[in-house]
Amino acid sequence: MRSSKILGVVIGVVVVATALLLAVGMPVGFLTAAIADRVERQTGYHMSVGGSTRMGLWPSLNVTMSDVTLESASDRETGSRLNIGSLQADLTLSSLWSDHPEITELVINRPDIRIPLRRERRAVTASSQPSPSANAGSAAPKIQRITVTDGAVIF
């Protein structure tokens, strides 16, 4: 009788802890490097994540990253970059098993894009800019909706 009460309490604690992890999100730092590598490979922009990366399963499968920075890998000295306070991607569970990721909603909070003003305009050659269409094949993610809140463009 006493062992069944202890077993019941242990099972209850495990269920509550699992429910909290699913609702709040579990830290998945190992996912950050894989996402950054794929972004750089497909877009040519260097991505760094200064904050945490979390994955949640409630109400839908989502990945949330905080303090994200994107900058051109070939032209870092100009100061043009994109800082994002937090980035959340809601995914369909079935698309994880296939090779074609499907993002139902992409939420970008507090984006801050910095573009330096130049007095001289230079012609951009085709070879200096990465071509997303050449790198992005059929595995490019399909995004249904993008929401941007509290953004700023700084010159």
Side-chain angles (χ1 to χ4, degrees):
M1 180 71 171
R2 186 170 193 188
S3 64
S4 65
K5 286 182 182 180
I6 293 173
L7 182 63
V9 168
V10 168
I11 290 174
V13 167
V14 168
V15 167
V16 168
T18 304
L20 281 174
L21 281 177
L22 293 178
V24 174
M26 15 187 178
V28 284
F30 64 89
L31 204 57
T32 304
I35 292 171
D37 287 343
R38 184 162 181 167
V39 166
E40 190 165 354
R41 184 175 59 243
Q42 290 205 345
T43 65
Y45 288 95
H46 175 71
M47 179 177 163
S48 60
V49 180
S52 63
T53 302
R54 296 190 165 278
M55 184 168 75
L57 297 173
W58 183 262
S60 65
L61 178 66
N62 61 54
V63 176
T64 305
M65 295 189 286
S66 61
D67 195 19
V68 178
T69 303
L70 285 170
E71 57 188 344
S72 178
S74 62
D75 194 22
R76 290 191 184 177
E77 67 272 356
T78 62
S80 59
R81 67 179 173 273
L82 172 65
N83 295 324
I84 299 172
S86 69
L87 180 68
Q88 178 179 343
D90 294 340
L91 304 160
T92 59
L93 190 58
S94 62
S95 71
L96 288 180
W97 308 122
S98 68
D99 197 25
H100 307 288
E102 223 179 281
I103 300 172
T104 56
E105 185 174 15
L106 183 65
V107 179
I108 304 170
N109 292 318
R110 298 179 316 278
D112 176 18
I113 186 165
R114 296 179 186 270
I115 303 171
L117 290 176
R118 294 186 181 147
R119 299 204 184 260
E120 287 181 24
R121 301 289 183 199
R122 288 182 277 163
V124 177
T125 61
S127 63
S128 67
Q129 292 293 324
S131 173
S133 60
N135 294 334
S138 61
K142 179 178 160 184
I143 302 173
Q144 293 178 2
R145 181 175 35 187
I146 299 175
T147 306
V148 178
T149 57
D150 197 21
V153 177
I154 300 171
F155 293 103

